[in-house]
């Protein structure tokens, strides 16, 4: 099992919905790999592992989701299991870490090649089987970032200077909107 890392957006705190970028395409990551567009199966179901890939060591998964892809990133659209203590605790840590939170994924390589990219010898990940996505302290991926942290219960208070989304910052704009409820309903 290999791992990589990237970022998160909390879509609905009351339901534990998240949207996390966990891979950026066409960049050299800290493992010397370049993940290519098409490496991930768009729409594939995936587990959310306990913090730091701990589910590989026997900890229960803390959520489930679906992989979505853009031209530049792989994204988890998922839901934490808020009816479990580990799911609630992990969701709270992810939410509270905000922009410090990074993400990673556990995978098997189905297709790879080796070559030169930006003057360096690298491994190109052409197709991977993703087993889990995990919040981590430090991911291998490039451009790890928290997109936003939104609390369903705090939106009205945001206008009065209380909790609100993280201020706008550089991130890709996606033309299609994300329907968290529909994504969760589609989970197996």
């Amino acid at each position: 099992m290999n791992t990589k890392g990237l970022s998160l957006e909390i879509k609905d705190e009351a339901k534990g919905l998240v949207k996390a970028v966990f891979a950026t395409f066409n960049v050299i990551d800290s493992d010397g790999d370049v993940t290519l567009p098409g490496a991930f199966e768009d729409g594939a179901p995936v587990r959310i592992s306990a913090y730091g890939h701990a589910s590989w060591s026997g900890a229960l998964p803390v959520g489930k989701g679906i992989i979505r892809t853009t031209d530049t990133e792989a994204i988890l659209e998922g839901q934490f299991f808020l009816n479990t203590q580990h799911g609630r605790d992990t969701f709270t840590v992810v939410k509270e870490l905000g922009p410090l939170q990074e993400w990673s994924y556990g995978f098997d390589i189905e297709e790879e090649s080796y070559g030169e990219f930006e003057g360096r010898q690298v491994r190109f990940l052409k197709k991977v089987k993703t087993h889990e996505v995990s919040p981590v302290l430090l991911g291998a991926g490039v451009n790890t970032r928290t997109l936003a942290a939104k609390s369903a219960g705090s939106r009205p208070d945001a206008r009065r200077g209380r909790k609100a989304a993280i201020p706008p910052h550089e991130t890709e704009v996606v033309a299609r909107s994300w329907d968290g409820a529909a994504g969760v309903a589609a989970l197996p």
Side-chain angles (χ1 to χ4, degrees):
M1 188 262 319
N2 298 286
T3 62
K4 299 283 179 195
L6 274 177
S7 81
L8 162 86
E9 174 182 359
I10 296 177
K11 295 301 290 185
D12 188 333
E13 182 175 349
K15 295 179 182 174
L17 299 178
V18 297
K19 189 173 182 181
V21 175
F22 66 91
T24 301
F25 305 138
N26 293 318
V27 297
I28 303 172
D29 68 21
S30 64
D31 292 332
D33 293 332
V34 176
T35 305
L36 300 177
F40 297 94
E41 179 186 347
D42 188 70
V46 67
R47 298 162 197 88
I48 301 175
S49 178
Y51 209 93
H53 301 288
S55 292
W56 290 101
S57 300
L60 294 173
V62 295
K64 64 182 179 177
I66 296 173
I67 295 172
R68 297 292 182 205
T69 59
T70 69
D71 292 341
T72 60
E73 297 171 327
I75 299 166
L76 163 73
E77 292 181 355
Q79 182 174 27
F80 281 87
F81 300 145
L82 298 183
N83 58 339
T84 69
Q85 186 65 46
H86 290 300
R88 282 190 308 276
D89 288 349
T90 305
F91 182 73
T92 298
V93 169
V94 164
K95 181 181 62 155
E96 294 299 325
L97 279 175
L100 294 175
Q101 181 58 63
E102 297 192 19
W103 285 79
S104 182
Y105 60 101
F107 63 101
D108 288 327
I109 299 170
E110 294 184 346
E111 185 179 350
E112 67 184 345
S113 67
Y114 293 85
E116 188 173 310
F117 186 84
E118 296 178 349
R120 291 179 51 192
Q121 289 298 311
V122 300
R123 175 174 63 173
F124 293 99
L125 299 177
K126 295 181 172 184
K127 186 161 182 65
V128 297
K129 169 67 175 164
T130 308
H131 300 291
E132 52 88 14
V133 175
S134 178
V136 295
L137 290 176
L138 183 63
V142 175
N143 199 20
T144 300
R145 68 208 184 278
T146 295
L147 301 173
K150 298 179 183 175
S151 169
S154 68
R155 287 187 188 120
D157 295 336
R159 292 184 209 113
R160 293 190 292 253
R162 295 188 189 159
K163 281 188 175 179
I166 294 170
H169 54 281
E170 286 189 27
T171 189
E172 178 187 61
V173 176
V174 179
R176 65 181 165 95
S177 63
W178 180 60
D179 183 349
V184 170
L187 293 173

